[in-house]
Amino acid sequence: AIRRAADERTIAEQLTEIETVYGTAPVGLAYLDPDLRYRRINQRLAEINGLSVEAHIGRRGAELFPLLADVVEPLLLDVLETGEAIEDVEFHGVTLQAPSDPRDWLCSYVPDLDEDGVVHGVSVVVRDITARRRAEAERVAALAELDFVLSSAEVGVWSMDVATQDYRLDDRTLAVTRLSLPLAFEDAMARVDPADVPEITAQLQAAMAGGHDGPAYLFNVRLRGDDGVVRWIEVRGQFLPDLGAAGTLSGIVYDTTPLHEARETARQRLSEIEAYFRSIPLVVSVLDLEGRYLRVNDEVTTFTGQPAEALIGQRAADLFPDLARLTDPLIATVLATGEPQLGVPAQTAAPSHPDRLRHWLLYVHPVVDEGETVAVTVGAQDISDLRQAQDELRALTTDLEARVEERTE
């Protein structure tokens, strides 16, 4: 009797534990008899079905939910007939409590078998996977949006398994780089200009050495494609230590050849302009809007008697006030109208030779960036020798005319 009482207490405790788990489980649980009537159902599944626990007991699902009868009942009958479980069947629909809120459920049906293999009922497990499905849908939408953006920008995605050193390149990467698969690390590096290899190696090693905290990498390389053409390719990305046996290098690539070609063209153009600026036989300087020297050519240093480094950053009016009285009105007109002032005559001495009065033609041009004047160039052409020659020619002409007049009298 004592043993029986102890066994009964143990059974009662186990039943209490089972009831607690059954009642508090975060999934829907139910037990159906061979006639597919509800014998047990927890509160979670009752809420999903939109009815009370009591409303289920003794009723068939086909009676309570006729719209689901053609879908669910064949599965339950199959479990009763075969004695085999049917797991992870996905359903999409709405509940009676929230008909405007579509949900997703993952359902499993497990037979209750005795030792002889006789089926006495079916256990039902229903998990609400709506949040997961919505997250997956958002992820798919985000990936589609990202793919559209990358495709529009002609950006490719690539990765390399560090352990196997095999590349995975998407179609855009293949199009950008003109490479083809399969591609091993050594093959890819053989296509890179040798001058770029040390920078690539250093950045990738730093990224992998840092693990989760490793720096992102960004480098431009000259890469020879399968077509034999060398292109500038920008590569940026990061090391993912948890992906693959030894981690994965992943990132994006895009063709920066047009940018490099534009830069090279601009560099050449700037070199030409610099050569012209330095060799032009005019006194030429560039001033900011406050009248400070930004650039001067060699003629300016000769004209002022000061080296370029002594002029840059200084206001012309502070260093050469006599000159400023000639140029400031012209600069003001240019800034006010945006129109250059060309060939304005002036007479002054060079600061390097204050005792020698010279004749000049002054030129002031606006420096415009995106429609806005950001600086001015001031040029001066020394025409003293020309003026002297003109004066001598006029004197000679006058003298000749006088002599001719004397002879004809």
Side-chain angles (χ1 to χ4, degrees), residues 11-21:
I11 293 173
E13 291 173 356
Q14 291 175 344
L15 287 174
T16 300
E17 293 173 359
I18 292 173
E19 287 289 344
T20 301
V21 172

Side-chain angles (χ1 to χ4, degrees), residues 10 47 61 70 111 147 177 181 187 203 207 210 216-217 234 243 245 248 283 294 336 355 376 407:
T10 300
E47 292 173 353
D70 293 341
D147 185 71
T177 61
L181 295 174
D187 298 329
Q203 288 206 36
Y217 50 84
E234 182 166 303
L243 188 60
T248 295
V283 178
L294 298 176
D355 56 336
V376 294
R407 291 184 179 182

Side-chain angles (χ1 to χ4, degrees), residues 44-289:
R44 178 65 179 137
L45 185 53
E47 292 173 353
I48 292 174
N49 291 341
L51 298 172
S52 66
V53 171
E54 293 76 13
H56 287 79
I57 304 303
R59 306 284 297 279
R60 290 168 57 90
E63 300 173 32
L64 298 173
F65 317 107
L67 295 178
L68 295 178
D70 293 341
V71 178
V72 177
E73 195 157 285
L75 300 175
L76 296 171
L77 291 173
D78 188 63
V79 173
L80 290 173
E81 182 180 347
T82 65
E84 297 180 356
I86 297 177
E87 298 181 345
D88 297 338
V89 179
E90 191 167 333
F91 293 99
H92 179 79
V94 297
T95 66
L96 295 177
Q97 288 182 326
S100 62
D101 181 22
R103 312 291 295 179
D104 294 281
W105 298 280
L106 200 62
C107 303
S108 296
Y109 308 101
V110 182
D112 176 20
L113 300 170
D114 63 15
E115 294 179 354
D116 298 323
V118 177
V119 180
H120 294 281
V122 180
S123 292
V124 179
V125 180
V126 179
R127 287 173 286 171
D128 189 332
I129 59 170
T130 304
R132 188 174 77 189
R133 284 289 177 263
R134 288 176 179 173
E136 289 174 353
E138 291 175 358
R139 176 177 174 273
V140 170
L143 288 175
E145 182 178 351
L146 176 61
D147 185 71
F148 173 76
V149 171
L150 294 177
S151 177
S152 300
E154 298 183 348
V155 175
V157 178
W158 72 280
S159 63
M160 187 194 78
D161 187 303
V162 174
T164 63
Q165 294 195 341
D166 287 332
Y167 281 94
R168 290 183 292 276
L169 310 178
D170 70 356
D171 291 340
R172 285 187 299 273
T173 298
L174 295 175
V176 166
T177 61
R178 305 301 198 279
L179 298 176
S180 57
L181 295 174
L183 184 68
F185 181 75
E186 293 82 2
D187 298 329
M189 293 302 290
R191 302 291 189 92
V192 175
D193 190 298
D196 300 329
V197 172
E199 178 66 18
I200 298 174
T201 303
Q203 288 206 36
L204 295 183
Q205 287 179 346
M208 291 187 289
H212 291 95
D213 300 322
Y217 50 84
L218 168 60
F219 45 80
N220 278 273
V221 300
R222 286 157 288 187
L223 183 69
R224 178 172 48 82
D226 292 344
D227 56 0
V229 177
V230 176
R231 297 174 178 83
W232 279 98
I233 304 297
E234 182 166 303
V235 183
R236 61 174 66 201
Q238 62 183 23
F239 175 60
L240 306 175
D242 298 327
L243 188 60
T248 295
L249 290 166
S250 180
I252 61 174
V253 300
Y254 52 96
D255 188 349
T256 56
T257 303
L259 176 60
H260 281 271
E261 290 177 346
R263 286 176 177 172
E264 178 61 22
T265 299
R267 186 194 66 78
Q268 293 177 358
R269 181 60 178 154
L270 286 174
S271 296
E272 294 171 2
I273 293 174
E274 178 66 22
Y276 174 76
F277 185 80
R278 295 182 65 87
S279 62
I280 186 174
L282 298 177
V283 178
V284 181
S285 60
V286 182
L287 307 180
D288 66 15
L289 299 184

Side-chain angles (χ1 to χ4, degrees), residues 325-327 329-331 333-334 339-347 359-364 379-383 387:
R325 281 190 285 273
L326 297 174
T327 59
L330 302 179
I331 293 174
T333 300
V334 169
E339 297 296 327
Q341 300 296 297
L342 307 176
V344 178
Q347 190 174 12
H359 293 274
W360 308 87
L361 291 179
L362 303 181
Y363 303 85
V364 181
Q381 180 183 7
D382 188 347
I383 61 170
R387 285 291 300 272

